[in-house]
Amino acid sequence: MTPDRWVVLVLGLALVAFIVWFFWLKRAKGVRAAETSSGYQEVMVLVKGGYTPDTIIVRHGKPVRINFRREETAGCSDKVIFADFQKSAELPTGELIPVELMPKEPGEYVFACPMGMFRGRLIVE
Amino acid sequence: MQGTTTPNATKHDKSPKLSAVGSVEHIDLAIGGMICPHCPPAVEKALKAIPGVRNARVNLANASTSIDFDSSQVKAADLLHAIRSVGYSAGAAKVRIPIKYMHCSSCVTRIELALQLTPGVISARASLASNAVDIEYQPEQTSFDAFRQAIESAGHRVAEPRPATPEERELSPEDAAQREEYRVLMRKFWFAALVSIPVMGLSYPDLVPGLREWMPAGSETRRIVWALLGLLSLPVLIWSGSQFFIGMWDALKHRAANMHTLIAIGISAAFLYSIVAVAWPGLFPKMSLAEVFWDVTDVVVALVTLGLALELKAKGRTSEAIKKLIGLQAKTARVVRNGKEVDLPVEEVIVGDLVVVRPGDKVPVDGKVLEGSSAIDESMLTGESMPVDKRVGDEVMGGTINKTGSFKFKATKVGKDTALANIIRMVKDAQGSKAPIQRVVDAVSGYFVPAVMILAILSFVAWYLFGPEPRIIYATVVLVTTLIIACPCALGLATPTSLTVGIGKGAENGILIRSGDALQTSQKLDSIILDKTGTITRGEPALTDVIVASGRKEEDILRLAASLERGSEHPLGEAIVKGAEARNIKLADAEGFAAIPGQGVSGRIDGHDILLGNAKLMRDRNVALDTLDKDWGRLAAEGKTPMYVAIDGTPGGMVTVADTVKPDSKAAIEALMHLGIEVVMLTGDNERTAKAIARQVGIERVLAEVLPDGKAHEVQKLQLEGKTVGMVGDGVNDAPALAQADVGFAIGTGTDVAIEASDVTLIKGSLQGIVTAIEISRATMRNVRQNLIGAFGYNALGIPVAMGVLYPFFGLLLSPIIAAVAMAFSSVTVVTNANRLRFFEPKRVGS
């Protein structure tokens, strides 16, 4: 093998390792929902290229209100679906849309756009 | 729908006014929900408990209260609050008016004050955040113009939406945004396409005679021309391709990757290679390697952008059904206010309003006909093509169209409570839900794009290590092609688009499918349980047979029976009266009417003593029945309810009443069996009646004498046989059974479409809807499967070919441009296939 081949091989494998780490291994730290006086655990989620924050930590047995605000017009993100809770909401651009959930069992629940390109996790403790 | 209203009964014989009497003011408020005699004292007590209220009188007849109060101590809003706190609805319509240039908190106070001083305004709350004021008001006392004047007197202006053309008015902000996005994408496409033409031509000078001589390989001319092409392609990359880079960046911030990531990396790789080739050709061992790929960048950007635009357009079409439904909402209503007919925006109609509908008008809200009659076209909501006759007492639905007559009706549901608003909400919810089949895609989609990136890198490395010369060019082409051909969008679009069209199609046919889950399960039902009463049959008794003893006339017997029953409120009696009326028989007056509990009725008509009732009644009164007895047995065996008629102690004949089968039940049940579904009848009735009905409609399996709370258990028993079971019922008595079933179908009645326990609601009370629902679910799921197979298959074939697996065997390698064509049209194909469902037509059985 010529030196340039070695370089390409090593660089290529390094890139693959980086992709695996960047997209799959590194987990974002979650944001804990704040408890309001009304008894809701509330959190704001920005919808733009993804959900920010995309990992929300809540306590079980208390109602959760997630306020989505979508700041883009891309077709995929116009809805958010909480499949485990049988809930979905339309997210018109620029409007604050609350989604209310009652997580009874601890666990990890995914929320996503209809196409599944945008994903977030609701971690119930 | 803006401006929700609260229930409010109004009567306007005396014009209600808010008038100042010294410091004591007087107000008349309408109260809703007051139905019992003990209600007024409760309301009066609550009002009088407020300090500052001098007097409060409640009038049950016109459901209103008149209050004298000291305006320095109490505000009108407090009065409303007090009424609401004891459980009644009071007040008023609500409206939100946007205000222009409201910047300071003093503006807020000024506007609120000006509005509160306007007669008829109960409360006004302005908000800087929303730039709007929410007004609670009494619609019969004020108008939008009064609000505008008040706001202008405070030095502000009402932010009016610019006058819109009818077409634009139906366009939601979302649609407008989509249209704008389409326009921008098309502009980007045309620019990229125009640039592509010269770039394509000049990128391959060796293939074009003339050019080859003018700019030979390695010459300075060629380098300069290529550098110029690069400059020309730069705006294509930066402007036409901007959405790819923005999309990639937004996703990367979330450690995610999408279609944009793939395209952006692909076109950047091609572009960077070209820059190196032009700027530092010396880096390449051979001159022939210093190739440019500007054409790849330009053409890929053009094609993929075109694909995005087409996809956007096609996707807009998938939600056509819901747009149609939204378009059904009436804009104005003709309402009687203060004894005059006025045209009002539909938002201002409140519960209890008397609404006038003329021929050709749209019925604005839900209500009950009080006066007049007409035929109404309800096809847009129920899918029933024949106009439906409406008489006094019948329900009408907002959004339907009045055909022939004119009538007045009392509004019972307005705003977000109308059947149409509920239908729209349910359809939207359902279109946003997921079918279980989508989970396959969800599992894949999180890994798809990074996996493609990894495959592209690995194939670059493989081609560089083992490929033929020029290796670097082959490796680059393979990298770019692999990135571009992969189409995560086709996968992502496959299920949701079909679901949107399918559920919309259901709504067009009067079938509300609650979720993707229900849609997917409906296609594989093995058994359907039909509740007898109200589902297969009409659910109300009707006159079926009149039998006469020798020497009597059929008409006479019916006339006597009906005349006698006219005074009774028993449903069987009503059926006889209706039956007589249908035959145009003139009824006589009965004297001395008496009901004998559990036996029948008696009375005197035209000087004759008439008895109507069962065998026990006849025996007790010593009426000999011998000749009629046989008929009685036969009719009872058919599941009917026969009643003897005796005239002056001698047998006269028999009238028979029965719950009759709906006209299209038999055909629908046959169609279900034809679809390979076992049909089972479930009823609380006795076995004989049940079997009689089952025979009429061709059902073999009958579960009779099931107690109401045993229905769910019967469903479960069938499920234990390993079957997927659908249950059809009225949604009220059958709720537990509907919930137990794999798919619960509720047969809707009138405006009550939001039946909670059901998975599917049929707005029209016909079994035909079940057949159509199953057909729609089968067609939709077939479409979903086609889409998924297409999308998975496309990627599973396209990616390896792009990586060059065919090259060692056939010498076949895809060009990045071919990959771009394939990618752009794969997602368009998926959406177009979903749109095919729009042409689904339910098979009409039995009509």
Side-chain angles (χ1 to χ4, degrees), chain B residues 30-50:
Chain B
I31 301 183
M34 214 166 40
I35 42 169
C36 52
H38 68 260
C39 301
V43 175
E44 280 173 9
K45 206 173 133 200
L47 286 168
K48 284 176 181 163
I50 306 172

Side-chain angles (χ1 to χ4, degrees), chain B residues 61-143:
Chain B
N62 61 11
S64 72
T65 171
S66 51
I67 308 161
D68 296 323
F69 65 103
D70 184 344
S71 56
S72 60
Q73 280 179 283
V74 194
K75 282 203 280 297
D78 302 334
L79 302 174
L80 284 181
H81 187 76
I83 297 168
R84 286 174 194 157
S85 70
V86 287
Y88 303 99
S89 55
K94 285 181 195 157
V95 68
R96 164 170 285 199
I97 299 177
I99 311 268
K100 249 191 222 169
Y101 314 122
M102 186 167 61
H103 297 306
C104 52
S105 49
S106 69
C107 314
V108 170
T109 336
R110 252 204 324 268
I111 290 172
E112 285 180 355
L113 202 69
L115 282 166
Q116 275 159 8
L117 290 174
T118 308
V121 171
I122 290 159
S123 75
R125 193 163 299 134
S127 145
L128 281 179
S130 60
N131 257 329
V133 55
D134 291 307
I135 305 170
E136 205 173 345
Y137 65 101
Q138 289 186 286
E140 65 273 16
Q141 288 183 30
T142 185
S143 67

Side-chain angles (χ1 to χ4, degrees), chain B residues 222 283 364 716:
Chain B
R222 180 176 282 202
L283 285 180
Q716 204 176 12

Side-chain angles (χ1 to χ4, degrees), chain B residues 6-23:
Chain B
T6 46
N8 182 346
T10 48
K11 187 131 182 176
H12 312 285
D13 334 302
K14 55 181 171 80
S15 164
K17 268 196 188 95
L18 183 78
S19 50
V21 186
S23 69

